[in-house]
Amino acid sequence: MTRIGLTGGIGSGKSTVASMLAAKGAVVIDADQIARDIVEPGSPALDELVAAFGGGILRTDGTLDRGELARLAFTDSQHTKDLNAIMHPRISAESSARIAAAPAGSVVIYDMPLLVETGQVSTVDRVVVVDVPVEIQRERAIGRGLEAQDVDRRIEAQATREQRLEVADHVIDNSGNLSHTRAQVDLLWDSLKSE
């Protein structure tokens, strides 16, 4: 099994690259999906989030209002630390279990936005960074419906572009069009399969 950590800042296009790799046969373990899975109503993580951030983070049906949680969690560094302390150990444990369950010989893509921030670089064989300039990150994230202020807070809370590039074994420049990105993913896949 080859374990690849796929990371990049908000709006960088990690999901696009992960989808391209999945289409080639990679097993994708998506940390954001795990983060959604572990906060289902009645889960210990959701109960802890409510205790830390208040009942206002719940919708009327009892599910988590992720936008409201993000708004509260990224208002200052202590709130961000509180969120991370509740979520990261659980995401890490569930990710490890899903990676271990992948078939032998698989190329496993661990799609983890906060790979650098959570100190998980050493848990993977290689790090692939999806990279774009910060201005493009902002533009894309705002284009997905996020508030500019929220996007700026998230960018500030994440590792810098330079910090991610420093640990990268491979870099996918996703500032061009999809064909440009796909060509880089093709080269990456060929190199992974030839090892």
Side-chain angles (χ1 to χ4, degrees):
M1 180 187 301
T2 304
R3 294 165 303 171
I4 307 299
L6 178 68
T7 194
I10 185 173
S12 63
K14 285 180 313 307
S15 298
T16 299
V17 171
S19 294
M20 290 177 179
L21 289 165
K24 292 183 171 296
V27 175
V28 176
I29 309 296
D30 181 346
D32 281 343
Q33 183 58 52
I34 290 171
R36 287 187 285 276
D37 294 345
I38 64 173
V39 293
E40 290 295 319
S43 68
L46 185 59
D47 292 344
E48 283 188 43
L49 290 171
V50 170
F53 295 98
I57 63 169
L58 296 178
R59 294 189 178 101
T60 55
D61 64 358
T63 60
L64 178 64
D65 182 338
R66 291 169 59 89
E68 180 61 14
L69 174 61
R71 189 184 70 72
L72 295 171
F74 295 108
T75 55
D76 64 53
S77 62
Q78 186 56 53
H79 284 124
T80 303
K81 286 177 186 171
D82 294 343
L83 171 67
N84 292 344
I86 294 167
M87 296 297 290
H88 289 172
R90 289 179 168 93
I91 293 168
S92 180
E94 181 61 23
S95 297
S96 295
R98 292 186 189 189
I99 289 168
S106 298
V107 174
V108 176
I109 305 297
Y110 181 32
D111 180 355
M112 175 47 150
L114 303 178
L115 189 74
V116 175
E117 296 87 334
T118 58
Q120 295 184 67
V121 170
S122 62
T123 67
V124 296
D125 301 312
R126 294 215 168 56
V127 175
V128 175
V129 173
V130 182
D131 183 56
V132 297
V134 173
E135 308 77 55
I136 293 178
Q137 282 183 261
R138 284 188 86 248
E139 183 181 305
R140 288 179 180 170
I142 292 167
R144 290 192 328 226
L146 295 174
E147 297 289 331
Q149 190 176 14
D150 185 30
V151 172
D152 291 339
R153 283 194 302 258
R154 290 186 195 203
I155 288 172
E156 193 174 299
Q158 292 182 345
T160 65
R161 186 178 182 197
E162 294 73 23
Q163 288 170 321
R164 282 189 295 269
L165 292 173
E166 193 174 292
V167 301
D169 295 299
H170 301 276
V171 177
I172 303 287
D173 173 9
N174 195 29
S175 58
N177 60 32
L178 276 178
S179 297
H180 176 68
T181 302
R182 189 170 285 111
Q184 294 172 80
V185 170
D186 289 345
L187 289 172
L188 170 63
W189 184 253
D190 289 346
S191 75
L192 293 174
K193 293 306 287 182
S194 68
E195 293 174 359

